[in-house]
């Protein structure tokens, strides 16, 4: 296991000087943020991240994310060309020493929350989701704003995009992801890069759009689509764990060898389709973090780990889920779980 920390680059309030002081930290997880999805990343931008990390004693082996253009998910007229661009980014990253790329295949919306500042009883706050609230939201309405991960769509672009997805059902999305994987995985293999798809968050359809990276059967189907080690998973416990039907320790054990990246965090499920994020330890939420780590280790997991979303504590403000303090606490807790499980195995 290699412990890593997400870093959003020079504009991140959390600095590399701070990250390097977290015990057990080996590297950062980052991306090139100055180009739109579907463009080639410059070697200069990639190297700048690597040099910044290395000069702080940290590795840069993991990218999150190389975004998949919507045209690819829809497999529109420009999909082949955009997939070639994607492959070029995989090659460039491999050359720069990146060996794990996280990405997702969620139509239009990445992770989604209905409250970005949910007050917790102890005075901290975290991200929360409530399906009832979601049902009342019109993404094309004037008061709709995207939750922190993307502000780039205009209303008319969003409208067009949603219309284009109108006819695409889950099977259509499976077909398109298959086309994407068949081109990308052989390139990743040659480049020495493991691809790690991120599950859909939450792991069910939102706004009528299809979502397929959601449960054990679908993860299995996904892995079989191109049955190569380079076609792997990001095991995000907070995403998959939002559905009580997902037995996370069982899935962690079963897929361990194809899990290249683990996003470990806890959530509290408070009702049907309703949950909020909590501190990492098992006792704080609904997920058994010890059982998950044990299953990963015993299943033969040997990938990267990062603490995922933290709460905002001690008065910290900043990018929802990505403050310093609670993620740092999470990292040391997770480090301890791994140490305990590894030493007793
Ligand atoms: C949220 C993240 C996701 C993730 C992408 C991967 O905090 O886990 O935005 O980076 O879905 O492509």
């Amino acid at each position: 296991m290699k412990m890593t920390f997400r870093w959003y680059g020079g504009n991140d309030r959390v600095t590399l000087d701070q990250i390097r002081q977290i015990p057990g930290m080996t590297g950062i997880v980052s991306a090139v943020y100055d180009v739109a999805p579907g463009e080639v990343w410059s070697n200069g931008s990639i190297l700048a991240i690597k040099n910044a990390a290395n000069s702080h004693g940290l590795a840069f082996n993991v990218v999150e994310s190389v975004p998949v253009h919507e045209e690819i998910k829809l497999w529109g007229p420009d999909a082949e060309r955009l997939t070639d661009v994607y492959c070029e980014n995989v090659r460039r990253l491999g050359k720069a020493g990146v060996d794990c790329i996280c990405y997702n295949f969620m139509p239009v919306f990445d992770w989604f929350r209905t409250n970005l500042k949910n007050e917790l009883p102890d005075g901290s706050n975290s991200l929360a989701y409530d399906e009832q609230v979601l049902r009342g939201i019109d993404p094309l309405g004037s008061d709709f704003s995207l939750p922190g991960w993307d502000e780039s769509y205009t209303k008319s672009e969003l409208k067009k995009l949603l219309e284009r997805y109108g006819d695409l059902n889950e099977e259509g999305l499976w077909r398109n992801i298959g086309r994407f994987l068949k081109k990308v995985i052989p390139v990743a293999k040659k480049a020495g890069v493991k691809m790690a798809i991120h599950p859909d968050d939450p792991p069910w359809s939102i706004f009528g759009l299809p979502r397929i990276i959601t449960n054990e059967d679908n993860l299995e189907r996904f892995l079989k689509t191109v049955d190569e080690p380079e076609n792997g998973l990001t095991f995000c416990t907070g995403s998959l764990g939002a559905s009580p039907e997902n037995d996370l320790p069982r899935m962690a054990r079963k897929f361990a060898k194809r899990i290249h990246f683990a996003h470990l965090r806890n959530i509290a499920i408070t009702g049907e389709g309703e949950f909020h994020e909590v501190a990492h330890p098992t006792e704080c939420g609904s997920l058994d973090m010890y059982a998950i780590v044990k299953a990963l280790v015993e299943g033969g997991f040997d990938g990267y780990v990062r603490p995922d979303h933290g709460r905002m504590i001690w008065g910290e403000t900043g990018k929802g889920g990505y403050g310093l303090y609670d993620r740092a606490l999470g990292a040391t807790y997770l480090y301890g779980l791994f140490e305990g499980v590894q030493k007793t195995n």
Side-chain angles (χ1 to χ4, degrees), residues 40-343:
V40 174
W41 290 8
S42 79
N43 288 318
S45 300
I46 297 169
L47 282 180
I49 304 173
K50 183 183 162 73
N51 292 338
N54 292 172
S55 66
H56 288 80
L58 295 162
F60 174 47
N61 299 132
V62 188
V63 161
E64 177 176 352
S65 308
V66 181
V68 179
H69 198 283
E70 296 302 322
E71 196 68 17
I72 296 176
K73 297 175 208 162
L74 285 158
W75 211 263
D78 213 12
E80 294 276 355
R81 184 190 67 81
L82 287 161
T83 308
D84 289 340
V85 170
Y86 199 97
C87 289
E88 177 57 20
N89 283 332
V90 171
R91 278 187 213 98
R92 289 181 179 209
L93 288 167
K95 240 185 229 158
V98 168
D99 59 12
C100 180
I101 294 179
C102 172
Y103 68 105
N104 73 77
F105 219 78
M106 289 176 248
V108 191
F109 304 104
D110 193 323
W111 60 270
F112 205 92
R113 297 289 181 273
T114 52
N115 185 352
L116 299 181
K117 253 191 173 178
N118 175 56
E119 283 267 340
L120 298 168
D122 64 4
S124 61
N125 67 75
S126 72
L127 310 173
Y129 183 90
D130 182 347
E131 188 71 18
Q132 291 310 320
V133 175
L134 183 100
R135 291 209 181 113
I137 296 176
D138 172 9
L140 298 173
S142 54
D143 52 353
F144 176 76
S145 70
L146 292 167
W149 42 261
D150 191 321
E151 263 97 45
S152 62
Y153 292 122
T154 63
K155 281 282 154 195
S156 74
E157 281 166 350
L158 191 57
K159 183 161 186 283
K160 263 194 223 134
L161 199 52
L162 290 172
E163 279 167 7
R164 289 188 66 200
Y165 272 102
D167 302 332
L168 192 83
N169 56 19
E170 287 185 9
E171 282 310 310
L173 199 58
W174 277 114
R175 186 189 61 228
N176 296 346
I177 206 170
R179 289 164 158 162
F180 172 75
L181 293 174
K182 284 189 181 110
K183 286 192 80 158
V184 172
I185 298 302
V187 173
K189 195 183 239 331
K190 256 193 157 163
V193 170
K194 295 202 168 104
M195 300 298 296
I197 197 164
H198 191 284
D200 304 340
D201 183 3
W204 53 75
S205 162
I206 57 168
F207 301 125
L209 293 161
R211 286 190 159 197
I212 55 179
I213 309 300
T214 51
N215 59 32
E216 182 176 334
D217 288 351
N218 286 5
L219 291 185
E220 190 155 4
R221 177 172 174 181
F222 169 82
L223 293 175
K224 288 201 173 126
T225 304
V226 175
D227 208 359
E228 297 283 346
E230 288 74 18
N231 182 32
L233 308 173
T234 295
F235 195 72
C236 177
T237 57
S239 303
L240 291 166
S243 167
E245 273 131 56
N246 283 334
D247 179 340
L248 296 191
R250 186 188 137 92
M251 291 162 78
R253 193 176 301 269
K254 178 167 174 181
F255 299 124
K257 295 211 169 80
R258 296 281 288 273
I259 296 173
H260 304 314
F261 192 18
H263 285 183
L264 300 179
R265 69 179 156 91
N266 204 348
I267 53 171
I269 300 178
T270 46
E272 219 189 304
E274 191 186 330
F275 63 87
H276 61 264
E277 300 181 356
V278 293
H280 290 73
T282 300
E283 68 162 51
C284 301
S286 305
L287 307 182
D288 186 338
M289 303 306 288
Y290 168 73
I292 292 167
V293 168
K294 188 165 170 7
L296 282 171
V297 171
E298 290 175 357
F301 165 76
D302 184 30
Y304 298 98
V305 170
R306 73 167 177 82
D308 204 1
H309 301 178
R311 303 159 300 151
M312 285 298 171
I313 61 173
W314 304 337
E316 189 177 19
T317 54
K319 197 175 182 66
Y322 287 98
L324 171 65
Y325 305 139
D326 203 35
R327 282 190 301 152
L329 291 177
T332 56
Y333 165 73
L334 294 168
Y335 185 92
L337 279 186
F338 273 92
E339 182 176 358
V341 169
Q342 275 158 350
K343 286 192 171 159

